[in-house]
Amino acid sequence: MNAPTAPGATETALRRNAPWPSPKPVPALAGRYLNIEDLRLGAKRRMPRGVFEFIDRGSEDEATLRDNRAGFQRIKLRNKVLVDVSTRSQEIELFGKPMSMPLAIAPTGAAGLAWYEGELELARAAARSGVPFTLATPSLTAIERIATVEEGRKWFQLYMWRDRELSHALVRRARDAGFETLILTGDTPVPPIREYNRRNGFNSPFTFNPTIVADVATSPGWMWRVLRPYLLNGGMPKQAHYPNDAKGAQVRMVGGAETLRGDNLSWDDIARLRDIWKGPILVKGVHQPDDVERGIREGVDGVVISNHGGRNLDTAVTSLDVLPEIVAAAGDKLVVIADSGVRRGGDILKLLALGAKAVLSGRPTLYGTAVAGEDGAAHALALLKRELDTAMAYTGCREVADISPRVLWREAR
Ligand SMILES: Cc1cc2nc3c(=O)[nH]c(=O)nc-3n(C[C@H](O)[C@H](O)[C@H](O)COP(=O)(O)O)c2cc1C
């Protein structure tokens, strides 16, 4: 739970830091893309169906995907009247460094299919907006290439492979390239079941088959903007960090190839990671308080409550469902971050009111990337920032530390 502090105290402290960039609407996009759903529809128009659905949809019956949105709409906000909110700030400090708003870009393996080297676009958008960017293990752009974006904070997400030496080598590369936070994803022990990918002929690494060829042919713009530059620069888009024996295989995201299996990941792995990684380590996908307690004992710095955006375990709980228990278990020993389903600034306010320190955004910035690369992702961040600002003003919050459960109303169960 956010500790109540004197209004303005955190803000003043942060202002003492050097000027920090902040999300700004992109004029060329502002008239057409008024919210994240507009960006989503723009992304849908620009991509082959198989690629769009890989990004957009969930697993199995998609109950969790729907519940993520429904959960935010079920919790309501209360006005707070006659509070002077004429100066407002969303800045926070996370792991000792400032952020322009309480949000970081989530790891998403598919950014490089939304735009040529889409991960680079996301890293640049994050840097110019003053929020951290997380590079995913299955990204199409390599760690060292992302490190060429000098500004901004970079985090690295790890899917631990059966071959630990290969995974540890990747972690060393991220460390040496200046990435500052490591997110170990714990919610994908086996590949999830996403039936639409099979129906669409969508595979990872991206390979041609009759279904996907017919699909891609309907998106000449995507072929030109995204696929063509890959073909001209070394071949089909493929995961940059995968070992060679897995690069050509149909690995179906994680775990499909033997080397990439992740089903023997355990808490024992944390100690070895700690030897390599001195910065913050977060475990992603946490739903149970005893996992928080174990995390504290193993020396991790934070947890990400997540159902992977409804893409993995169907009918999994939402972050809103379990936040209070997780926050109570974490106390002041662990940082709690939450994601899955954030599409409006008001959603961010709700997660923070229940005690999250910050949120991750997955699809919103991916949709933006598909529409206009770096500018599109930056625009998505600006939309969320503006909506959060509005929600904060209405609920009487001048700064993030003012956000507390008092802004919420839930129907008694
Ligand atoms: C296309 C796509 C690819 C993803 N790839 C990864 C990944 O490689 N590693 C990971 O930990 N999470 C991955 N995620 C999950 C996100 O990190 C995040 O938990 C989720 O997107 C949050 O939900 P949201 O999309 O509703 O914001 C992916 C999500 C999407 C949409």
Side-chain angles (χ1 to χ4, degrees):
M1 207 67 59
N2 289 312
T5 57
T10 316
E11 195 186 340
T12 317
L14 286 163
R15 289 264 151 79
R16 270 189 244 115
N17 288 311
W20 188 250
S22 172
K24 306 243 174 359
V26 176
L29 302 175
R32 186 151 179 213
Y33 300 100
L34 305 185
N35 56 38
I36 299 300
E37 179 62 13
D38 288 345
L39 288 171
R40 176 180 173 271
L41 295 176
K44 187 176 183 183
R45 283 192 296 274
R46 283 170 173 74
M47 301 169 110
R49 177 190 171 131
V51 179
F52 176 73
E53 293 201 344
F54 168 69
I55 290 174
D56 190 60
R57 294 191 62 179
S59 53
E60 301 186 24
D61 296 323
E62 300 184 313
T64 300
L65 184 78
R66 287 189 296 277
D67 214 24
N68 280 340
R69 293 302 305 136
F72 283 116
Q73 281 152 7
R74 264 196 307 270
I75 297 190
K76 297 173 189 164
L77 295 174
R78 300 172 191 253
N79 285 338
K80 181 78 180 161
V81 300
L82 309 190
V83 177
D84 177 354
V85 288
S86 53
T87 53
R88 298 182 299 282
S89 166
Q90 295 182 21
E91 289 180 22
I92 62 161
E93 257 191 15
L94 195 62
F95 304 124
K97 294 199 185 151
M99 288 162 56
S100 64
M101 65 183 294
L103 178 146
I105 295 185
T108 55
L113 290 179
W115 197 269
Y116 176 62
E117 295 192 323
E119 294 88 0
L120 210 51
E121 305 288 316
L122 276 170
R124 291 189 182 123
R128 86 184 208 205
S129 305
V131 301
F133 161 72
T134 314
L135 184 68
T137 295
S139 67
L140 307 189
T141 313
I143 291 169
E144 291 74 13
R145 183 120 175 84
I146 298 297
T148 62
V149 181
E150 281 174 21
E151 306 299 319
R153 301 173 65 180
K154 294 166 204 81
W155 298 357
F156 184 71
Q157 176 269 333
L158 182 70
Y159 277 131
M160 186 75 87
W161 296 327
R162 175 140 306 208
D163 186 332
R164 294 296 195 266
E165 272 319 303
L166 287 176
S167 283
H168 293 159
L170 208 53
V171 174
R172 275 188 224 102
R173 278 171 63 186
R175 177 197 65 195
D176 296 345
F179 284 64
E180 61 176 56
T181 294
L182 183 69
I183 299 185
L184 175 66
T185 297
D187 68 2
T188 317
V190 295
I193 297 170
R194 300 176 188 153
E195 291 143 21
Y196 52 90
N197 283 345
R198 291 189 60 185
R199 291 209 178 92
N200 290 332
F202 180 89
N203 280 311
S204 178
F206 193 79
T207 42
F208 283 128
N209 54 53
T211 319
I212 206 82
V213 167
D215 187 8
V216 167
T218 65
S219 275
W222 183 85
M223 260 197 294
W224 184 260
R225 271 192 322 274
V226 184
L227 193 54
R228 185 176 148 273
Y230 283 114
L231 297 176
L232 293 177
N233 289 294
M236 292 290 275
K238 49 183 167 304
Q239 281 81 3
H241 306 126
Y242 280 15
N244 283 335
D245 65 330
K247 270 192 176 146
Q250 298 302 306
V251 293
R252 282 182 292 131
M253 310 331 299
V254 219
E258 189 57 28
T259 346
L260 305 188
R261 281 179 64 162
D263 51 0
N264 68 351
L265 175 66
S266 82
W267 286 106
D268 296 340
D269 280 291
I270 299 289
R272 184 71 190 96
L273 282 178
R274 191 39 96 199
D275 287 342
I276 306 170
W277 193 271
K278 300 303 170 206
I281 296 180
L282 311 180
V283 177
K284 179 166 180 273
V286 170
H287 288 167
Q288 303 202 23
D290 61 344
D291 282 341
V292 175
E293 287 152 19
R294 183 70 193 262
I296 294 170
R297 288 203 298 281
E298 299 297 337
V300 306
D301 303 274
V303 290
V304 182
I305 309 177
S306 172
N307 57 35
H308 221 101
R311 299 166 60 79
N312 278 7
L313 174 65
D314 198 26
T315 73
V317 292
T318 70
S319 294
L320 288 168
D321 290 331
V322 293
L323 244 170
E325 290 175 74
I326 297 293
V327 166
D332 57 4
K333 298 202 170 69
L334 282 187
V335 168
V336 177
I337 295 176
D339 77 15
S340 297
V342 169
R343 299 292 179 272
R344 289 279 186 184
D347 303 337
I348 302 175
L349 185 88
K350 290 171 187 177
L351 291 170
L352 298 191
L354 288 173
K357 174 88 178 154
V359 307
L360 300 184
S361 159
R363 294 183 187 84
T365 33
L366 273 186
Y367 299 143
T369 306
V371 165
E374 175 189 336
D375 274 352
H379 189 63
L381 294 171
L383 290 170
L384 292 173
K385 177 161 177 155
R386 177 171 175 230
E387 291 165 1
L388 176 57
D389 180 63
T390 305
M392 286 177 69
Y394 273 83
T395 53
C397 301
R398 273 173 283 204
E399 59 176 87
V400 169
D402 295 339
I403 302 172
S404 75
R406 72 163 176 80
V407 306
L408 302 179
W409 183 86
R410 275 209 234 214
E411 220 164 315
R413 293 228 171 130

